[in-house]
Amino acid sequence: MTLDSSPKLYTLYFDVTADLAHFRDVFAHGFFKTLLAPPRPTVLGMIGAVLGYSEEEVIDNLKDVYVGIKISSINGYAKEIVTMINQKSNGGRTPVMRTMLVKPMYRIAVGSTDEVLVRSIRDSLMNPVYPLYLGVSDCLAYIREVSDVIRTDQAYAKRISCIVPYDGRMYRTYVKDHSKMIFGPEIVRTVRSFTLTKKGKSPYEYINLLMFYNCEVEFDEHIVAYRIAGEPICMI
C-alpha cells in the first residue's frame, strides 16, 4: 500500500499519553533502545485494542489503515533493568537495560477510505473494549482528546513537524523551542506491517522513518501529507 495516488481519506486524530513508554528498536540486541514514537504496527495494535480485535483481526482488518504520528511532548529518558528469558541457557533469565520515555504525548492521526471503519474507530476510542498501552504492558496509556471524523484532501508540504517516511532526501532542521529538550532527528528502520504465518506473525514490510521532537525538518521538495488539525501530517 502506497500513497502514490494520494486518495482522499476519512480521518480523525486522538491524543494519547502515558507516564512511561517504550517502543523497542527491533534491530537492537542486548540493550533495549526505545524509538521516539510508536511505529505503525503499535498504533494499529492500539486501534485493535479499542475495537476488541484479535491479533489476526488487526492484521486482516486494519491493513489498509494509514496512520500519522506527531510527538507533542517528551519529558526525558529513564533507564531500568529488566530480566529476559535467555533461549541459550535453557530458560534462564538475563538482565537487560531498557530505556523508557518519560511522560510522552502523541497526536495520532488515523485515515482510511472506509468511512464506516473510521467512525467505528472513533466510537471505540470513546469507549475502548481493552485498555491501551504505549509499547509494552507496563505502560498504560490515557486518551486525552478524540476529534470528529472529516474527509481530508492531500496537502503538499516542505516543512514538517511529524514523523516522516524517509527516502534519503536532504533536509534542514530548525529548533522550535530552545528552552525544551530536543530529540533527533534520527533515521530509524522499523516494521511497517506484519503478516500471519504458521509460526505466528512475521514482519512483512519495513520502512525508514525520520523521528524527532521539538524541531521541524524542511525538505527542498514538497512531500505528500494531509492537513489534520491545521497542520500537514504524513500518513504511513
Side-chain angles (χ1 to χ4, degrees), residues 91-138:
R93 302 189 73 88
T94 300
V96 178
M97 180 74 74
R98 180 169 71 180
T99 56
M100 309 290 287
L101 299 168
V102 178
K103 293 189 180 298
M105 179 175 283
Y106 302 97
R107 173 153 290 180
I108 306 293
V110 181
S112 173
T113 56
D114 185 342
E115 181 181 6
V116 173
L117 175 58
V118 178
R119 292 195 179 278
S120 176
I121 292 170
R122 184 185 187 278
D123 291 343
S124 296
L125 285 166
M126 305 295 286
N127 188 24
V129 175
Y130 300 123
L132 277 67
Y133 301 95
L134 280 184
V136 293
S137 59
D138 298 338

Side-chain angles (χ1 to χ4, degrees), residues 44-101:
L44 295 185
M46 294 166 61
I47 295 170
V50 302
L51 291 166
Y53 281 179
S54 66
E55 183 176 73
E56 181 176 353
E57 288 172 321
V58 169
I59 292 174
D60 288 342
N61 298 342
L62 302 181
K63 62 181 180 296
D64 293 327
V65 170
Y66 300 94
V67 304
I69 305 115
K70 178 185 176 182
I71 305 173
S72 301
S73 64
I74 297 176
N75 284 9
Y77 280 120
K79 292 182 180 180
E80 67 174 4
I81 299 292
V82 295
T83 58
M84 306 296 294
I85 295 176
N86 189 333
Q87 303 293 339
K88 297 181 180 180
S89 62
N90 297 319
R93 302 189 73 88
T94 300
V96 178
M97 180 74 74
R98 180 169 71 180
T99 56
M100 309 290 287
L101 299 168

Side-chain angles (χ1 to χ4, degrees), residues 11-15 107-110 125 145-148 228-230:
T11 65
L12 62 81
Y13 69 83
F14 64 96
D15 293 334
R107 173 153 290 180
I108 306 293
V110 181
L125 285 166
E145 181 181 353
V146 181
S147 76
D148 291 329
I228 296 173

Side-chain angles (χ1 to χ4, degrees), residues 152-168:
T152 309
D153 292 323
Q154 66 183 32
Y156 289 102
K158 288 185 177 181
R159 197 154 175 163
I160 295 287
S161 59
C162 66
I163 305 304
V164 181
Y166 188 64
D167 58 5

